[in-house]
């Protein structure tokens, strides 16, 4: 069994942003030399996500609006107890639960084994600072 | 390490439907001959889900109603920017995020290592056409 | 390839509770002797979750309030069809979908390969009885 590990770093200028990281994940797979196995890609921070969906700007705008409705940003200590600790990112911890922490992708014949529109995204919900995604691949 | 890959195809007559695919997933595991490892089962389309929950028709009715409340179908271009592209399935992209893309299941002694009520479902949110689920198993 | 399996049992006195199980998961990894691979940790019941987020009591209070808003407890047969079966836990099946069934964690140099604040939680949404979590590790 072979294994491969790499961290991808991001520093997005907006508080909430959805970034297509498929090329970086494919680069990891190429570097690993693994042809058959499983690839895990996860946010290493608890206010961001890794998820798979469509690379369509209108949809991303819809996601941001929807997440803001489901878990609004509110830095005050009234809505979220978490923000009584001096933090202002309780909403980001909620948004990340909707969009998920991680994806597991099949590796087949040295490729990400994807359907026609699957793309991997980093979902940032508390940006404007350096944050990381982990790529771990096992197989042979 | 052994690996196994199979696609399961569906063409559900309704827009939204939840289908128990546990027998097909168990069949894949039997075909693979893998006794210890991990099984990944994921939707290959971005408007459908694979998830694990209870095979109870009342619960499925509840899920559909709840998903419709959280992300209503609306083909008009007003509610969802995604539907300004000519699509009408923005809601399905949202519903899929709630229910998830994939499950990873332990394989132990040649069986899906499940609790008493765990069953695997294909969640279709934009049906009436051919769509696929991937089963990938690694282990030995 | 090595594999390891262990069940963790819980009997939480409250209906809804979030319990940090990171020490038990780390103990499993130590027992397994696996240094490189993937660790799956999943609820074996369909009214509970395993998820990764922050160990901050205010945030957990926020999560419980938010989940109660998204899927309120209601034992009556009016709101949820599932509760016409004699069950009263339809809400718990919904809450579990938001928080997720499972996490997959990279194992690197014999450790859970975590970012600075990642902790594993058992999310109980229908407690006051014995329930289980599965830890499965593969690698070498």
């Amino acid at each position: 069994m072979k294994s491969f590990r790499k961290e991808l770093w991001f520093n997005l200028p907006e508080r909430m942003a959805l970034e297509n990281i498929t090329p970086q994940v494919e680069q990891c797979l190429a570097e690993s030399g693994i042809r058959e196995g499983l690839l895990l890609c996860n946010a290493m921070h608890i206010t961001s996500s890794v998820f798979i969906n469509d690379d369509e700007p209108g949809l991303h705008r819809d996601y941001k609006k929807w997440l803001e409705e489901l878990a609004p940003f509110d830095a005050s200590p009234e809505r979220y107890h978490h923000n009584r600790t001096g933090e202002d990112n309780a909403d980001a911890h909620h948004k990340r639960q909707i969009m998920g922490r991680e994806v597991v992708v099949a590796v087949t014949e040295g490729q990400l084994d994807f359907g026609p529109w699957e793309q991997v995204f980093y979902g940032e919900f508390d940006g404007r600072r350096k944050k990381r995604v982990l790529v771990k691949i096992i197989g042979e």
Side-chain angles (χ1 to χ4, degrees), chain A:
Chain A
M1 199 198 79
K2 291 170 79 170
S3 69
F4 177 89
R5 176 194 195 275
K6 191 166 186 179
E7 292 177 6
L8 308 175
W9 285 84
F10 302 92
N11 191 344
L12 301 186
E14 295 140 320
R15 198 164 187 284
M16 179 155 46
L18 308 179
E19 180 113 338
N20 189 337
I21 62 171
T22 314
Q24 293 99 305
V25 176
E26 287 173 336
Q27 178 60 30
C28 287
L29 181 54
E31 285 178 34
S32 77
I34 292 173
R35 305 277 305 164
E36 293 293 326
L38 294 177
L39 181 149
L40 168 69
C41 185
N42 68 267
M44 297 186 80
H45 298 259
I46 51 191
T47 51
S48 49
S49 289
V50 171
F51 68 96
I52 287 174
N53 216 296
D54 194 4
D55 197 0
E56 198 282 295
L59 179 66
H60 293 189
R61 199 164 154 178
D62 295 332
Y63 277 149
K64 290 179 197 168
K65 176 167 164 273
W66 184 61
L67 291 168
E68 201 56 39
E69 288 164 4
L70 289 175
F73 172 72
D74 185 345
S76 80
E78 276 83 42
R79 184 190 296 260
Y80 300 112
H81 280 77
H82 182 59
N83 291 349
R84 297 178 193 179
T85 63
E87 296 278 1
D88 67 0
N89 63 6
D91 67 302
H93 289 276
H94 291 65
K95 288 170 170 124
R96 120 74 166 252
Q97 290 303 124
I98 297 287
M99 299 305 276
R101 168 187 180 259
E102 79 215 10
V103 296
V104 177
V105 180
V107 174
T108 302
E109 296 181 4
Q111 306 291 321
L112 300 178
D113 197 338
F114 272 162
W117 300 102
E118 289 189 283
Q119 296 280 298
V120 190
F121 293 89
Y122 174 62
E124 177 60 87
F125 308 118
D126 185 27
R128 298 172 298 190
R129 55 198 174 95
K130 287 181 72 181
K131 291 167 81 173
R132 288 179 284 167
V133 160
L134 179 66
V135 178
K136 181 94 183 186
I137 317 172
I138 69 167
E140 60 185 21

